[in-house]
Amino acid sequence: MELINTKAELIRYLALKRKNNLLIGLVPTMGYLHLGHQSLIEKAVQENQVVVVSDFINPTQFNEAADFESYPKDINRDLKLAEAAGAEVLFMPDLKEMYPFYPNIDIKITINNSDKALFNDLEAKYRPGHFDGVVTVVAKLFALVRPDKAYFGEKDFQQLLIVKRLAEECFPTIDVVGCPTVREPSGLALSSRNARLSEKQKQVALVISQALFAAKDALDSGERDPKLIEELMQREIEKEQSLSLEYAVCRNDSDLEPMSEISDNARLLIAARLSSIRLIDNLGWQRR
Ligand code: AMP
């Protein structure tokens, strides 16, 4: 595996691959790689001849300085995992490489502050500016790597839908592929931020996935009122007093709009804080 730190070197490296008509897959990450990232890389390896994993803690998507500063980092861990999963390139730029005038950000892409839930509600509401940072860095990576396919996790479901829109509107040749959430056997969704949880806090955090699975069971049993489903999830979360709930909602799976009644599919989404750590998780439901 090649470790590449500069845009110029990456452009040179990929030009050769493109000349040979090799399919290029991109897996954007912020590092501290785990089995969730590994599943994205492995899927990319199955579907492409060259897989680039980017590893960059993107400052513009953090709406809290402390969260950015305490984001876990371990270069050796990332090198090992990316290589073992079959990546050909690990692209690890420094801040100035991605934002030449940092801390000034001269060019930024923004999502439209419309009345659509996708751009205005849930993560967009609780993390102002977050998705502007995400689309900015993803656009930079898309323009740089020009992949045939790019892989994103359902773990960040709203992000996945927004990145799909970004590609449709600005990078129509790139196919954005969504990949299922990888969980610990306990049900806890894997996340780099879990490294900041104590064992005790991990037990508390479990309530989030338990609430999602309880709601899914209720849907499987025929409940179709989103309000009742949301109340059920809220009650589950309230069992853990140290969790402070931001939202627990049942939305349309395709655009995250609220629904008056659930028909064929839905997306259950939860965000909660455990002391300073913010946890998100979601689950899709389809009528069987
Ligand atoms: P991050 O490094 O947290 O920005 O994540 C990089 C990519 O990995 C994003 O597309 C995430 O949605 C995805 N990802 C993170 N955690 C998981 C997980 N547990 N399962 C599947 N994909 C994940």
Side-chain angles (χ1 to χ4, degrees):
M1 189 181 69
E2 304 283 327
L3 174 62
I4 295 181
N5 300 108
T6 66
K7 290 189 285 187
E9 200 189 330
L10 185 62
I11 289 167
R12 266 200 307 276
Y13 187 91
L14 292 177
L16 218 66
K17 303 288 170 182
R18 216 170 272 118
K19 224 168 137 182
N20 293 330
N21 281 327
L22 299 182
L23 284 177
I24 300 173
L26 170 67
V27 182
T29 81
M30 295 208 296
Y32 210 77
L33 302 182
H34 51 64
L35 294 176
H37 299 114
Q38 183 178 317
S39 73
L40 268 58
I41 301 169
E42 286 172 351
K43 177 132 177 95
V45 168
Q46 280 167 17
E47 298 182 349
N48 302 274
Q49 283 123 3
V50 179
V51 171
V52 179
V53 176
S54 65
D55 187 331
F56 175 66
I57 305 176
N58 174 36
T60 61
Q61 72 186 73
F62 286 82
N63 52 318
E64 289 173 16
D67 188 26
F68 175 54
E69 274 140 31
S70 62
Y71 201 83
K73 194 176 174 136
D74 184 338
I75 294 172
N76 286 330
R77 170 193 175 115
D78 293 352
L79 280 167
K80 270 194 217 136
L81 190 140
E83 179 152 37
E88 179 165 332
V89 175
L90 187 65
F91 176 54
M92 213 184 264
D94 68 12
L95 265 173
K96 295 268 177 183
E97 196 63 25
M98 294 304 281
Y99 298 101
F101 300 97
Y102 192 83
N104 287 328
I105 311 290
D106 291 338
I107 306 282
K108 197 169 196 177
I109 300 179
T110 55
I111 56 170
N112 190 2
N113 212 9
S114 64
D115 55 3
K116 290 178 180 161
L118 183 58
F119 298 106
N120 228 353
D121 200 5
L122 310 175
E123 293 304 285
K125 177 171 158 192
Y126 282 91
R127 301 188 68 189
H130 167 64
F131 286 125
D132 294 346
V134 170
V135 292
T136 298
V137 79
V138 170
K140 282 171 184 259
L141 291 168
F142 279 3
L144 181 66
V145 176
R146 293 164 52 205
D148 296 283
K149 293 187 177 195
Y151 297 80
F152 289 81
E154 285 190 5
K155 161 75 168 58
D156 301 282
F157 192 72
Q158 194 171 0
Q159 168 177 283
L160 170 63
L161 295 186
I162 289 176
V163 168
K164 281 190 171 170
R165 285 296 307 280
L166 172 74
E168 274 164 27
E169 294 193 18
C170 305
F171 301 92
T173 61
I174 300 177
D175 182 10
V176 173
V177 181
C179 305
T181 301
V182 177
R183 299 175 180 280
E184 288 190 357
S186 64
L188 183 69
L190 294 182
S191 163
S192 304
R193 285 190 179 83
N194 290 356
R196 284 157 55 191
L197 296 173
S198 67
E199 278 312 308
K200 202 164 166 221
Q201 284 176 318
K202 269 190 158 183
Q203 287 303 313
V204 173
L206 263 186
V207 166
I208 296 174
S209 54
Q210 284 165 357
L212 291 170
F213 285 111
K216 193 163 186 261
D217 284 347
L219 287 165
D220 283 339
S221 310
E223 180 57 65
R224 290 291 177 273
D225 183 345
K227 250 196 137 83
L228 292 180
I229 295 290
E230 291 177 355
E231 283 165 12
L232 182 157
M233 292 193 286
Q234 284 156 16
R235 278 198 304 278
E236 288 292 315
I237 300 288
E238 277 161 14
K239 285 181 185 165
E240 279 294 349
Q241 296 203 333
S242 52
L243 273 179
S244 134
L245 183 65
E246 288 187 346
Y247 58 79
V249 295
C250 176
R251 294 289 175 90
N252 188 320
D253 193 54
S254 60
D255 57 11
L256 301 184
E257 290 294 334
M259 302 176 286
S260 49
E261 199 189 342
I262 300 158
S263 53
D264 288 340
N265 56 50
R267 185 64 51 171
L268 306 158
L269 306 106
I270 295 180
R273 279 183 174 276
L274 184 48
S275 68
S276 66
I277 304 157
R278 196 166 174 279
L279 300 163
I280 59 170
D281 197 358
N282 71 85
L283 210 54
W285 176 83
Q286 285 90 30
R287 193 211 293 262
R288 279 183 284 195

